[in-house]
């Protein structure tokens, strides 16, 4: 195991650890961005990154995002993330997850792992056989299962808060919402939207996911995000992968609000400014999608569904504050959210 302290100081991270384990084939990077507000919690992502540099870039960005997300969600945690380099469909073994668990243990609880893209609740159960520094396990193994419904609730509430800010009325009745990605979060989000009286259009690359969404009720499905964006949307909700908001889309999108669950929605940081200049309200992704974090954080303290639900509901209050700050400071909501998060982390560190 190698710890790159000098490098991590340069990038603002507390510690970046490169892990290699020959017997299991584990190649992983754990990035601890900040422990100023508590232990660094963040999921472990498994992807067949083509280079170690690509994996490093991903883990550095994601771990910083987790620090900001935790700071704004007020969960008393810091931010970290891990990536395992490999194909989750073919390269994942219990031995590899156990080796990863041992690396997590070697950090003495400063990093707490959780599921992310390419890892599952079952994988957390396997890691939990060798480490106590893991959340997002199944109820059979002492966890609280899938956080996606809570993530969806937080996003839905942030849509209401965005409508309130922009239109003075926190209602989605007859508003047109386009959802990109009908996976775990997208499914529950569409459920909330239908209940809230919205008109919903959805796209997904997976026909099975679209079929599940259609079973929820009157939902229009379209072939691609580009087609979705030609509809007269009030809200665009990126709930698939990161990078959906490209400079081109930011220049042409007609929706007045962007609010979704995907991490790293902005293909480039400048996109936030482009949206802002066009008067399009962007709910910062790490704030809008913090419901899942609130859910898994509850696992560390003994889960209480009412307390968790109310903490998720209050994410939209923080979003309202961020919109007010952005207006007062003449900056984009993304910049206002970053400033608020950095302030809270600095207070924790002092
Ligand atoms: P998921 O894998 O269950 O769903 C993602 C869906 O997006 C899949 O149905 C997939 O087919 C679809 N998709 C992939 N590429 C697409 C494309 N180009 N166009 C349209 N659809 C496409 O994931 P999820 O758990 O629902 O998470 C969705 C997003 O929210 C991810 O970016 C994730 O990182 C983020 N997020 C999830 C949670 C959570 O609690 N699950 C919490 C915070 C953030």
């Amino acid at each position: 195991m190698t710890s790159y302290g000098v490098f991590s100081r340069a990038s603002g991270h507390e510690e970046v650890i490169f892990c290699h384990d020959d017997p299991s084939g584990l190649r992983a990077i754990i990035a601890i961005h900040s422990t100023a507000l508590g232990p660094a919690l963040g999921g472990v992502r498994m992807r067949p990154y083509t280079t170690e540099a690509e994996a490093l870039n991903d883990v550095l960005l994601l771990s910083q995002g987790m620090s900001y997300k935790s700071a704004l969600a007020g969960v008393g945690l810091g931010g970290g993330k891990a990536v395992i380099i490999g194909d989750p469909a073919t390269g994942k073994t219990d031995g590899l997850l156990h080796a990863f668990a041992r690396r997590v243990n070697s950090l003495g609880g400063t990093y707490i792992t959780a599921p992310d893209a390419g890892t599952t609740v079952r994988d957390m159960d396997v890691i939990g056989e060798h480490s106590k520094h893991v959340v997002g396990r199944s109820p059979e193994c002492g966890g609280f299962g899938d956080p996606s419904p809570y993530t969806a609730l937080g996003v839905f509430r942030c849509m209401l808060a965005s409508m309130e800010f922009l239109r003075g009325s926190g209602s989605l009745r007859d508003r047109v919402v386009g959802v990109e990605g009908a996976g775990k979060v997208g499914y529950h989000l569409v459920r909330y939207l239908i209940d809230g009286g919205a008109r919903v259009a959805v796209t997904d690359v997976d026909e099975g996911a679209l079929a599940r969404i259609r079973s929820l009720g009157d939902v229009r499905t379209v072939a691609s995000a580009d087609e979705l964006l030609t509809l007269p949307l009030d809200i665009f909700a990126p709930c698939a992968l990161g990078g959906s908001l490209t400079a081109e889309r930011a220049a042409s999108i007609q929706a007045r609000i962007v609010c979704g669950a995907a991490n790293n929605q902005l293909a480039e940081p400048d996109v936030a400014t482009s949206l802002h200049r066009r008067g399009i309200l962007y709910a910062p992704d790490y704030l809008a999608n913090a419901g899942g974090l609130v859910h898994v954080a509850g696992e560390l303290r003994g889960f209480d569904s009412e307390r968790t639900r109310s903490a998720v509901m209050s994410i939209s209050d923080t979003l309202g504050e961020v919109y007010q700050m952005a207006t007062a400071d003449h900056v984009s909501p993304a910049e206002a959210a970053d400033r608020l998060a950095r302030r809270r982390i600095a207070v924790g560190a002092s």
Side-chain angles (χ1 to χ4, degrees):
M1 185 171 74
T2 319
S3 177
Y4 285 76
V6 174
F7 171 79
S8 58
R9 270 200 303 281
S11 65
H13 288 67
E14 288 179 15
E15 203 170 5
V16 180
I17 300 106
F18 289 70
C19 317
H20 294 262
D21 179 71
D22 282 340
S24 67
L26 175 74
R27 287 171 64 213
I29 309 174
I30 301 173
I32 297 178
H33 178 258
S34 170
T35 55
L37 297 173
L41 187 143
V44 50
R45 178 168 288 195
M46 184 164 184
R47 277 189 60 189
Y49 295 99
T50 43
T51 62
E52 202 166 71
E54 189 194 341
L56 178 62
N57 189 44
D58 210 19
V59 78
L60 291 179
L61 272 177
L62 289 164
S63 54
Q64 181 184 30
M66 285 308 299
S67 287
Y68 287 15
K69 186 187 298 206
S70 295
L72 291 197
V75 287
L77 291 165
K81 202 88 180 182
V83 293
I84 296 177
I85 300 170
D87 186 339
T90 55
K92 203 192 293 170
T93 61
D94 285 5
L96 179 128
L97 293 171
H98 288 156
F100 177 72
R102 288 193 294 275
R103 294 303 193 263
V104 171
N105 286 342
S106 70
L107 299 170
T110 50
Y111 169 66
I112 300 166
T113 201
D116 198 82
T119 58
T120 63
V121 168
R122 191 247 165 211
D123 296 335
M124 297 309 112
D125 289 345
V126 174
I127 291 171
E129 290 165 2
H130 285 258
S131 177
K132 61 180 183 189
H133 308 300
V134 54
V135 291
R137 291 161 298 159
S138 68
E140 299 75 42
C141 291
F144 298 102
D146 182 15
S148 306
Y150 288 86
T151 304
L153 174 62
V155 173
F156 177 69
R157 294 275 306 174
C158 285
M159 287 182 177
L160 297 178
S162 302
M163 287 300 297
E164 175 75 43
F165 183 77
L166 206 62
R167 305 269 187 241
S169 154
S171 164
L172 289 172
R173 183 148 302 280
D174 292 329
R175 296 293 181 180
V176 184
V177 183
V179 181
E180 178 192 27
K184 295 188 291 295
V185 179
Y187 176 87
H188 291 285
L189 179 61
V190 170
R191 205 166 45 78
Y192 282 118
L193 288 169
I194 292 173
D195 286 353
R199 287 151 57 202
V200 187
V202 181
T203 188
D204 197 293
V205 288
D206 176 358
E207 188 44 47
L210 288 178
R212 278 192 296 281
I213 286 281
R214 280 191 213 100
S215 73
L216 287 172
D218 186 13
V219 179
R220 177 171 176 184
T221 53
V222 299
S224 68
D226 287 330
E227 186 181 341
L228 190 69
L229 289 168
T230 64
L231 302 179
L233 303 180
D234 292 290
I235 302 180
F236 174 53
C239 295
L241 303 178
S244 172
L245 288 165
T246 58
E248 294 73 38
R249 283 184 178 167
S252 62
I253 189 170
Q254 295 307 308
R256 305 318 299 164
I257 294 169
V258 175
C259 178
N263 282 311
N264 298 333
Q265 289 168 28
L266 308 178
E268 303 147 36
D270 284 354
V271 169
T273 313
S274 310
L275 292 171
H276 184 56
R277 287 207 182 112
R278 292 194 56 226
I280 295 164
L281 200 55
Y282 166 64
D285 46 14
Y286 61 78
L287 175 53
N289 71 17
L293 170 68
V294 171
H295 178 269
V296 294
E299 203 172 315
L300 295 170
R301 302 186 180 102
F303 189 72
D304 173 326
S305 65
E306 265 321 296
R307 203 172 54 207
T308 301
R309 201 178 156 79
S310 119
V312 172
M313 304 281 264
S314 71
I315 291 170
S316 55
D317 298 338
T318 309
L319 180 64
E321 257 179 67
V322 163
Y323 285 154
Q324 298 294 351
M325 282 172 52
T327 306
D329 296 346
H330 306 289
V331 296
S332 69
E335 176 59 27
D338 284 1
R339 287 182 185 181
L340 181 60
R342 282 196 292 264
R343 231 175 14 241
R344 289 189 180 180
I345 292 167
V347 169
S350 63

